[in-house]
Amino acid sequence: MEWDWSAVDDFLPRFFDGLLVTLQALVLGALLAFALGLVWAVAQRSGPAVVRWPVSAVTEFVRNTPLLVQLFFLYYVLPEWGLTLSAMMTGVIGLGLHYSTYTSEVYRAGIDGVPKGQWEAATALNLSRRRTWGSVILPQAIRRVAPALGNYVIAMLKDTPMIFVIGVMEMLGQARQFASETFLTVEAFTVVGIAFILIAYPASVLMRALERRLVR
């Protein structure tokens, strides 16, 4: 099979548009996942029962349903209830909400890994609940779990193509559209595959280096 370099040249402008959309969805989705995951973890770890049970139920439901179903629900069902979101916003919220249920478990593991003596020291110093969490517990917990959080960013990157189903033209969406118009599938999908490798592999190496540094 002959490789058509002119097809690659034609596809590159669309590819870079899709790359920008992919990175935007990834960064915003990851920030949302980190923030919401921390909220879920703290609520489950220290909140009253009236908060813990609903949070646990929601996180279990989201974690055990496919991301694709959640994207369809957000994009097609919520408008029936009067809440209409743009495709890009839906994609970011879907990715962030879905992965927040996984990052919450990472945070909880980090919180549980903080030595009991740290809690006792905070109590002995008569620190308020907020200061105990903000100044003593969470800084130690987050430092412990930072590499694991990074791994979920890589996993989220590999799930960004799913937002194409609601009309967000990320890298794979651009490749699909280009291939359907030109029938040059090999060139378009190869470029996208290489791009995912070039993003994901250095990120995974960085996460391993970070993990080694933090466990010293």
Side-chain angles (χ1 to χ4, degrees):
M1 182 170 16
E2 185 177 352
W3 181 270
D4 189 345
W5 287 105
S6 63
V8 176
D9 291 337
D10 293 339
F11 175 60
L12 283 180
R14 296 191 184 187
F15 163 74
F16 285 116
D17 288 341
L19 175 61
L20 179 61
V21 172
T22 296
L23 294 178
Q24 287 177 336
L26 175 63
V27 172
L28 295 176
L31 291 175
L32 181 60
F34 292 164
L36 278 180
L38 186 59
V39 171
W40 304 148
V42 173
Q44 290 177 294
R45 184 63 173 75
S46 68
V50 70
V51 173
R52 289 199 307 270
W53 287 106
V55 168
S56 296
V58 169
T59 54
E60 283 296 323
F61 175 80
V62 173
R63 190 183 302 119
N64 289 287
T65 53
L67 173 59
L68 193 60
V69 173
Q70 295 164 19
L71 289 171
F72 279 131
F73 182 87
L74 292 172
Y75 195 66
Y76 294 109
V77 177
L78 287 187
E80 298 292 329
W81 298 345
L83 181 58
T84 302
L85 304 172
S86 68
M88 182 64 174
M89 184 176 293
T90 300
V92 169
I93 293 175
L95 287 169
L97 179 61
H98 184 79
Y99 276 93
S100 72
T101 62
Y102 293 97
T103 60
S104 69
E105 291 302 307
V106 175
Y107 284 126
R108 286 178 64 188
I111 292 169
D112 291 341
V114 175
K116 185 179 180 181
Q118 297 294 309
W119 296 90
E120 295 172 347
T123 302
L125 292 172
N126 199 28
L127 297 182
S128 67
R129 188 182 186 87
R130 177 177 298 182
R131 192 171 179 186
T132 297
W133 278 97
S135 300
V136 179
I137 305 304
L138 291 182
Q140 296 182 64
I142 293 173
R143 182 177 181 273
R144 291 168 178 268
V145 302
L149 294 176
N151 291 334
Y152 279 116
V153 174
I154 297 172
M156 189 183 300
L157 169 67
K158 293 185 286 187
D159 274 345
T160 53
M162 288 192 184
I163 63 179
F164 172 70
V165 300
I166 56 173
V168 181
M169 297 302 291
E170 41 65 60
M171 287 193 294
L172 189 59
Q174 293 286 3
R176 287 173 176 170
Q177 187 175 71
F178 180 81
S180 68
E181 295 171 358
T182 64
F183 301 102
L184 299 170
T185 57
V186 175
E187 292 82 358
F189 292 128
T190 300
V191 169
V192 171
I194 292 173
F196 274 108
I197 293 173
L198 291 178
I199 297 172
Y201 182 72
S204 64
V205 172
L206 178 62
M207 288 302 105
R208 288 196 294 269
L210 178 62
E211 184 174 7
R212 288 193 298 268
R213 182 178 181 85
L214 291 178
V215 298
R216 287 179 182 176

